[in-house]
Amino acid sequence: MAEEALTASEAARLVGVAVTTLRTWDRRYGLGPESRQTGKHRRYGPADLRRLAEMQRLVGQGVAPAQAAAWVLGRPIPAARRDGGGHAVAVGSAGPAVRGLTRAALRLDAAELRRIIGGALAQDGVLATWTELLAPALIHIGRKHAATGALVEVEHLISKEISVGLATTEWPSSAARILLACTDEEQHSLALEALAAALAEAGVATRLLGARVPPDALREAVRRAGPDIVVLWSQTRETAHVGQLADVLAARPAPKLVLAGGPGWDGVRLPEAVRRPRSLAEAVGLVTGRQPIESSPSGVRR
Ligand code: B12
């Protein structure tokens, strides 16, 4: 990116849009040069060019220009018309840390993602970082993806960086009596990775099998490891395989506690003995037995 200030047509050429588009973005969304020179032609500096390049990338991915401009300028995102409204990403009203992380993800800035995630984990610990920073950013990006069909590469990059950050938590030396697994074909493993890291931070070791654990493999892992506690994660209805919960409950010796985590289990009739934590804090509390935890009764869950 050029360091010297550029004219509108030079900036348009560099970013790869028509100069009329640049002027429209300025007039409609206030995406003009930040420092305005009175009496002279307005010049675009490096920060302006970076914003324009981000705007161009988002629009190129199918994000509505008004929404893209709001992302770039850090303003509340207007509701998208294309998704029927109401699914806009309200990143502008999120905390500055969530905004910073989300923006770094949108720019595909891996180094910044690693810096922010590593710094937050070191400073605030896993529980607070996941609950207040990582989960909100993921949910924002997920909504944006649902509204536009774009940003799959953004989801992949932030997921990878979150995994890397969570995996660097120090591992306890105690024997692992807890088994964490996603259900068959369930690729959403991050919440379980957060649980493993939060438990490690609390001094509790786990065996984390991760994504897509088929029924045979889960049965075998339970048979061989004989865990006291099993947590099965399902993110979507399609992967809420109640049979896998039944398999775990049928193991001998049976685990003392079986948890079903994730929104996939919502509205699904679960075996009576299964507990249903609703947050990372609740799951940590149930597993460690260290916090007074209120968990919903079993049966059909909402
Ligand atoms: C990252 C991501 C991915 C990554 C996953 C990487 C990884 N290693 O995990 C990748 C790119 C692989 C992926 C793939 C897919 N994804 Co995806 N993904 C997401 C995203 C952005 C975040 C997922 C996540 O980690 N969520 C965890 C937390 C942050 O969210 P949550 O579970 O809703 O949190 C609530 C509770 O669970 C609780 N909570 C939060 N944390 C914790 C922790 C614990 C321990 C507990 C107990 C509770 C708890 O609090 C929250 C509020 O109630 C979501 C968006 C979203 N809203 O989640 C989409 C999302 C889940 N994905 C979606 C889809 C459709 C897919 C795909 C099918 C896309 C495709 N067409 O290929 C595939 C494959 C899915 C499969 N078969 O498993 C949809 C699901 C829609 C649905 N309900 O059916 C979502 C919601 C995006 C969307 N809005 O469309 N995805």
Side-chain angles (χ1 to χ4, degrees), residues 130 138 142 146 156 159 185-190 235-236 263 278:
W130 173 258
L138 284 168
H156 276 262
S159 297
E185 292 307 327
E186 178 54 73
Q187 293 180 32
H188 299 95
S189 58
L190 290 176
Q235 188 76 34
T236 67
R278 298 290 177 169

Side-chain angles (χ1 to χ4, degrees), residues 5 31 37 61 71 73 102 109 113 115 145 190 215 224 296:
L31 251 182
Q37 300 170 344
Q61 286 182 332
W71 276 101
L73 294 167
T102 309
D109 188 341
L113 284 172
R115 194 191 64 74
H145 165 69
L190 290 176
R224 292 179 57 197
S296 55

Side-chain angles (χ1 to χ4, degrees), residues 254-296:
K256 298 187 181 88
L257 182 62
V258 178
L259 306 183
W265 303 110
D266 286 351
V268 174
R269 181 171 292 280
L270 300 179
E272 207 48 35
V274 172
R275 303 292 296 273
R276 183 83 176 86
R278 298 290 177 169
S279 67
L280 178 57
E282 193 180 349
V284 170
L286 281 169
V287 171
T288 60
R290 286 181 199 159
Q291 291 167 29
I293 295 296
E294 300 231 332
S295 179
S296 55

Side-chain angles (χ1 to χ4, degrees), residues 29-121:
Y29 314 120
L31 251 182
E34 269 180 337
S35 66
R36 302 189 176 227
Q37 300 170 344
T38 41
K40 287 189 184 170
H41 285 300
R42 301 161 60 205
R43 296 273 176 172
Y44 288 79
D48 303 317
L49 293 172
R50 273 195 293 275
R51 290 192 319 187
L52 291 175
E54 196 180 336
M55 175 78 179
Q56 160 71 341
R57 194 178 62 75
L58 288 170
V59 170
Q61 286 182 332
V63 179
Q67 289 196 308
W71 276 101
V72 171
L73 294 167
R75 293 179 184 154
I77 310 285
R81 283 178 209 281
R82 71 179 64 226
D83 67 356
H87 289 283
V89 185
V91 73
S93 61
V98 176
R99 275 209 297 278
L101 185 68
T102 309
R103 290 224 188 87
L106 286 170
R107 289 197 309 274
L108 296 180
D109 188 341
E112 182 67 355
L113 284 172
R114 197 163 288 210
R115 194 191 64 74
I116 297 174
I117 295 167
L121 286 167

Side-chain angles (χ1 to χ4, degrees), residues 130-131 134-147 152 155-156 158-160 163 184-195 211-212 231 233-239 260-263 276-284:
W130 173 258
T131 309
L134 305 178
L138 284 168
I139 290 169
H140 281 314
I141 291 170
R143 285 193 193 137
K144 192 75 205 161
H145 165 69
V152 174
E155 265 184 23
H156 276 262
I158 193 172
S159 297
K160 172 50 84 183
S163 285
D184 194 17
E185 292 307 327
E186 178 54 73
Q187 293 180 32
H188 299 95
S189 58
L190 290 176
L192 271 194
E193 292 169 46
L195 179 56
R212 306 175 70 177
V231 184
W233 186 269
S234 163
Q235 188 76 34
T236 67
R237 184 68 185 82
E238 293 73 46
T239 64
R276 183 83 176 86
R278 298 290 177 169
S279 67
L280 178 57
E282 193 180 349
V284 170

